[in-house]
Structure formats: C-alpha cells, structure tokens
Amino acid sequence: MYDYIAEFSFAAICLFIPSVPLTHCLGLVAHSPRSAKLKYLLLYPVKGGRHHFIFQIISWGIWVASIFVALPVLIRTHKAVRATHAEILSGSAATGAVFAELFMIKSLLVFNPRCKPASDDSSSPRWNTSLLPSKGAASGAVIALGLVWAALGGSLLLATEYLQDTHSKEVYFLLAALCLLVGATTTHGLGGSLRHKQTGPFTVELGSDVDPRQPDPVTTWKFFQPFRGGAFFVATQAMGWALFSISLVCLCWLLVQVVAGVAYCIRCWALITGSVMFCAQLFLGMSIWTWKDHSMAQGVAQTVVQVVTHPAQEAASWTAVWLPILMMYSPVQVVCTALAISFMFAPAAFATAFWVGSLAVYYAVTLPGAPEHTGRREWAPIQKWCHKHMETALKAWFGNVEVVREGTTPFDPEDKYIFGYAPHGLFPIGAGFLPYIPAWGQLLPGIVPATLVASVLFFTPLVRDLCSWCGLRQVSRRTFVRALNEKGSVMLVPGGQAELVHTWRIKCRKEFVIYGRHKGFVRMAIEHNSKLVPVVVLGEVSALQNPIDLPELQRWTYKNLGFPVPYWVVGRWGVSPFPKRVGLKFIIGEALSPRPHVPGTTVDENEVNRLHKAFYAKVAELFEAHKNSFKGYENVKLVMIE
C-alpha cells in the first residue's frame, strides 16, 4: 500500500508545486496596471494590501520549503530507491504544496490595491480590478478552500492506516490537525470578512480603475463576536465549533493511541474524524452567510442580570420551557449519545459489559407488571407538572398553540370515546401531550384519554420511562380494550406508519396526506359502543422533517420491515430534534355515534364502512374549514389515501 501513497504524494508534488507560480502569474496578468512597468510587476506581492502581502509570503515560504523537502523524494523516486523516511518527506511535501497553492489562491481573493498612500506620487499605477470577484463569490471560494483543507486532513488520516512507521503516523496526524486549524480559521475569519466587508468612503465601484490613495475597505465582521450576528448565526456557529472541537479531540485521542501502540481500527476512526471535520467546515461556512450586523449581547446581559438577581424564578422559568421539550423530543438522542460515548472512551469489552449488566437490571425492575399494558407506572406528580407547564413550553417553541372544538354538543364523561388523531407526523408526540394542555380540559371536562403509541417506544430506555410516567400505553387490541374500560376514552393515530411515510409531501408538494385504509379502530368503537371523535392537527407535520427523502425505499422498508428506512428526524436549525416554530392548531370534531351493538356478536361490516366513511369525511371537513386560518396552509391540498 505504501507504493500507492507514494504515487499519490508524487502526483500531488508534481501538480501543485508548478501550480503555485502559475496561479501567481494568472493573478499578476489579471490585476496588472494598464501601463505597467517592470518594477511594478515585481512589486505585485506588496501592492495588494496587507492581507495579500501576508498570504503571498506564507505561500511562497511554504512553496520553497516544499521544494526542499520534495527533492530527496523526487531524486530517490527517479532512482527507484526507497528512502527510510520517504513516507514523512513525501506526505509533508505534498501537503505543503497543496497549502502553498491554497494560500496563493487566498492572496488573489483578498487582493486590494486601495492602500494608504506614502506620498502623493501621481505616477503610481492604477491597478485593474475588473476581474475581482464579488463579495459572495469571494466568500464562497474561501468556503470551498476550507472544505478542501478538511478533505486533505481526512485523506491524511485515512493514509495513516497503511503507514508502517509510528513517527510517520504522528507526522500525518499533526498535518491533519494543521489542516483542521487552518481550514476552520480560514472559513470563519477570511470568509466572513470577505462576505460582510463594507466599502470605505472613497471606494469606487467594482470594475473601475483604482486609485492607490483610497483607504482599505472596512468591515463590521469580527473573528471573535460572541452573541452577535443573529440567532441562526449563533446556533450554526455553535454547531460548527462544537464539531471542530470534537474532531480535534478525536485527533488527539488517535495520536495518543498511536504513540502508546494500542490503536485499533484506525480506518473507522479516521473516517469518522474526517467526516466530522468536513461537517464542521460546512456549518461554519453556512453560518457566515446568515450573519446579521446586530448584537444579542443586550438580551444576554438582561438574562444574566435576571439569573443573578432572581435565580430561583429564572431556574423555574427555564425548566418550564426546556424540560417538557427535552422530555418529548430528545430522549432517543440522549440514549444514543450515551451509547456512542461509552464505546468511544472505554474499551469495547468494558462498554459492552456495562450496558448488558445495566440493562439487565433496568429491565428486571421496569418490566414486571407489563406497564405498557396496565399503566402501573403512571406517576401522578409528573402528570400534574406536565399539565401545569406543557402549554408554556409549547408556545415558547412553536410560537402559537391553539385547541378548538367544532360543535356545541357536550361530551358526557360517562360515555366512552375513541379519539382518532390525524395525521401521523414523523414524531406525532402531540397525541401524547394534547390532554395536558389546559384548553383540552376546558373544552372536554372530565375526559382524559389514554394515548396508545407504538410498542417499540416501550423497549428503549428512558423513552419507556417517560411514556409510562405520562400514562401512555402500547397500541394493541388487548391494551386498547383495557385502557378504554379503565379510562373511558383512548386516543390513537389510525394512519400509523403508513401515513408517516408520506409526511415529506407537505414540504415538497404542499399536500396534507391522510391514510384512510385502516378500519380496526372503527370496529373497536362499534364493538364497545364508543363514540368516534376525529382530531386534526395542523402544523405538526411541518415541525419536523426527514432530510433524506427516499419515498419508495421508505415505503418498501415499512411494508417489509415494519418501519421506514432511512428515518432521521430533524427540526429547528436543520440539525436538532427540536420542533420548528410553525405553530400548532388542534381541531376536535363532533363525536360520531355508532349504531347500538350487542357485545359478543359479530360486527356488521356495513356499519363499519358507514362509520369509517363518516369519520374521514369529518376529517376532511375539519381540515378544509380551518386550513385558511393557519399560516402557511392556505394553499395546502388535502390528499386522502383510501
């Protein structure tokens, strides 16, 4: 494998070392004055502003160093003699050549002949700026350079698996870390400065001749600007620098493992680290395009003052806003993160033993009594707390939460009700928290349904606890009957995962899809003389989305495996599991009564079809009646799959 690495390094050396002076010449030709003299052409590196000069010096310095490092490699390669440290020399020379080329490109991007004059010499040349890139193009090019640096660092990491010498691996890891550092600072610092620079008072329009006596452009962008730039900028910056830190920690960890001689599966770790490096560059690049010139410092300062002066009240306020959302939308991510961290920082055998032992004890304690069926682990204090704070949290995250009811006929708590919740979003948690919203109790006093959810939720640690404490139960016939008899009412999502695989259509086609082929819940309503109540929710299918839209594959995997693949839920900021600020509106329809049925006798299929048709006709009616009053749904079309 060494031969392949040597060939790639040799190719990189031969490609990028000549490209540096060539790129410099192209910039010289593009920017040279119209009546240029030789002395001005020779002084080109110092005539493009301070940053242009610095990048030129760095580029030429690295270029010269790369040539000296590459000479032994080129000579020995020509003679087909392998040097003892050829791995280090070839990798360093190739990396240096790429660095020199990238810095040369950076120098051309920042070329700015508007320098402060040392004298009033009118014979100074007027440099050509007609080929200077726009702010958007220049910052985009810098972001691309950052991605190239990340790709180069990832390639160096992947190459370490095939290096025999420990010192060679150490050098490659250090070069990869250098790629990470230079790439991130380039993307954030230079990319942001180019994107958001403001022209000075004497600056002429792009493309015209430039007077060297004009001042440099100024910029309000700063490399370190905490809580400035807008909420989205701060969020993407936080994600980018967090990924940067993770990749840097992984690099250090790999280096320590290599030095200690205990590194294993380097390819896997190198691939993960390289991917994280690349994602860090993407987030940093995305952030500079969303930067806004205003400060969040005042709001942060006010928050700090409130926390210092009233810590108990602020803690309670933050808990009321964050804890319900964390409970509903992030337990799966918490469990997966804990699992990944344990295997990352502990030996695989120890992590496996820890999880097997811990889960054995956990399930031994929580499984007895079948809480997913009986509800024996319901916890009244947490249900009371949810009832108190749920609406506050939902309004803080969704922006607006509204519960309305069609009709005036009162619901009798002595009757039995089956609430059919539609549609089934990527994560229809609304069916679980709807009974905890105070407006529900005001509209339907005395009606507290047990929400039936997928049985898979009761297999995942922490998720099963939250579901059990809040009174949720699994959706099975046996549990359905028991919950209906005990609680007097149940709520379920009749569309199920067959409806889930169509959620992508709300974004791509503006279609609100209802899957209406399931009739089991209608049959249960007739068997137990229960009234059927349609519940339509607007906004939930828009709050979360699956960024990987493969409808055919997802339908096939649902049909054959029981769940759609790929299934990746993201919401706010494009990466988090938290819902977008789209609003929620729950519409409760009139109760539909089945014809009287004698328990124990066969259900009339004609009655099933009649009630089923009436239920989905009411769902369509509720949607059409309220879509125009819900922002963003005015042009959404209802699609009923029957």
Side-chain angles (χ1 to χ4, degrees), residues 446-500:
I447 309 295
V448 184
T451 302
L452 306 181
V453 298
S455 57
V456 68
L457 296 179
F458 289 93
F459 290 99
T460 308
L462 185 60
V463 179
R464 65 179 277 108
D465 298 309
L466 295 173
C467 290
S468 299
W469 295 340
C470 293
L472 278 62
R473 305 191 191 185
Q474 69 179 5
V475 59
S476 66
R477 181 180 178 84
R478 187 169 67 104
T479 305
F480 194 122
V481 173
R482 176 164 182 156
L484 185 60
N485 291 330
E486 290 180 355
K487 297 287 187 177
S489 60
V490 297
M491 182 179 296
L492 75 160
V493 188
Q497 294 190 22
E499 200 168 71
L500 179 152

Side-chain angles (χ1 to χ4, degrees), residues 263-285:
Y264 66 95
C265 194
I266 293 181
R267 180 190 301 176
C268 301
W269 288 106
L271 186 60
I272 293 173
T273 306
S275 301
V276 174
M277 291 169 59
F278 196 83
C279 291
Q281 294 291 337
L282 284 176
F283 276 101
L284 291 176

Side-chain angles (χ1 to χ4, degrees), residues 96-108:
V98 177
F99 266 59
E101 173 64 17
L102 296 180
F103 271 103
M104 182 59 68
I105 295 174
K106 286 172 63 174
S107 73
L108 301 186

Side-chain angles (χ1 to χ4, degrees), residues 329 397-398 425-427 429 503 506 538-546 569-574 576-584 630 633:
Y329 288 94
W397 284 86
F398 283 94
L426 287 175
F427 196 45
I429 194 65
T503 53
I506 189 69
L538 304 180
E540 189 172 57
V541 290
S542 305
L544 299 170
Q545 66 184 56
N546 188 343
V569 178
V570 298
R572 188 170 295 198
W573 309 306
S576 77
F578 304 122
K580 298 178 182 177
R581 194 178 180 85
V582 295
L584 284 176
F630 190 80
Y633 275 56

